[in-house]
């Protein structure tokens, strides 16, 4: 999703030094925040899945019913997973902000609105995207436990007990949909943030 929005940005706005400014460059700012949001969503979800399952010591909760589920269950969330998803979004927002400070002419930065909200927007996109991914995973992605091996599986089959979700999407589809949703929702939120500052 980020690649598609990045291409749309380049086709529409071209390359150049631009700050986020919804008043003077609505489309460019919207597309740039969309790219940021899609990447923050993907990074936060990856961090939550990978670090959350390794660092966390407790069983996660299913986001749709708050019952404990085995690690690896689609839609399972934990305190550690939520914290690292926030950090994952923060890192993307901070990286974007630092790149702006290092690559955009100081006069352009001084003439535009403050850019620090990019860090907040990246953080918000990370947690929002990760939660959207968890909700989609818990409802539209099958999770079951193989009775013989005890492993979590993502396809219904004989000998598999369902934990959550129905087999509508696979993990790649859920990741894509959460990235799209985040990339479409967050620019609207960001626009309001820039109006306030």
């Amino acid at each position: 999703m980020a690649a598609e929005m990045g291409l749309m940005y380049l086709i529409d706005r071209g390359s150049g030094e631009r700050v986020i400014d919804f008043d003077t460059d609505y489309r460019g700012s919207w597309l740039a925040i969309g790219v940021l949001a899609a990447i923050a969503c993907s990074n936060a979800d990856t961090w939550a899945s990978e670090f959350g399952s390794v660092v966390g010591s407790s069983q996660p909760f299913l986001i749709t019913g708050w019952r404990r589920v085995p690690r690896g269950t689609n839609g399972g969330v934990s305190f550690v997973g939520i914290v690292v998803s926030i950090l994952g979004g923060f890192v993307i927002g901070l990286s974007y902000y630092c790149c702006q400070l290092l690559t955009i002419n100081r006069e352009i930065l001084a003439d535009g609105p403050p850019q620090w909200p990019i860090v907040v927007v990246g953080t918000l996109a990370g947690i929002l995207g990760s939660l959207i991914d968890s909700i989609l995973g818990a409802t539209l992605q099958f999770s079951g436990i193989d009775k013989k091996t005890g492993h979590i599986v993502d396809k219904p089959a004989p000998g598999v007990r369902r934990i959550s979700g129905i087999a509508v999407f696979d993990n790649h589809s859920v990741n894509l949909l959460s990235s799209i949703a985040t990339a479409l929702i967050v620019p609207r939120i960001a626009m309001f943030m820039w109006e306030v500052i």
Side-chain angles (χ1 to χ4, degrees), residues 63-167:
I63 195 167
T64 55
W66 297 107
R67 63 182 166 89
R68 294 221 181 249
V69 292
R71 287 183 188 200
T73 301
N74 297 310
V77 296
S78 66
F79 176 75
V80 172
I82 289 172
V83 169
V84 295
S85 70
I86 291 169
L87 288 174
F90 173 79
V91 165
I92 298 301
L94 183 63
S95 298
Y96 190 115
Y97 179 63
C98 289
C99 284
Q100 277 195 319
L101 294 179
L102 293 171
T103 61
I104 295 178
N105 184 300
R106 298 260 181 239
E107 287 141 13
I108 295 172
L109 281 170
D111 289 342
Q115 297 299 293
W116 62 263
I118 289 171
V119 179
V120 177
V121 169
T123 306
L124 175 69
I127 187 64
L128 178 66
S130 188
L131 292 174
I132 290 170
D133 186 277
S134 294
I135 291 167
L136 290 173
T139 56
L140 300 175
Q141 186 178 359
F142 181 84
S143 283
I145 188 161
D146 187 313
K147 292 178 186 173
K148 287 183 184 175
T149 65
H151 293 129
I152 303 300
V153 296
D154 59 0
K155 291 184 177 38
V160 172
R161 183 179 57 82
R162 180 183 167 277
I163 298 172
S164 65
I166 56 175

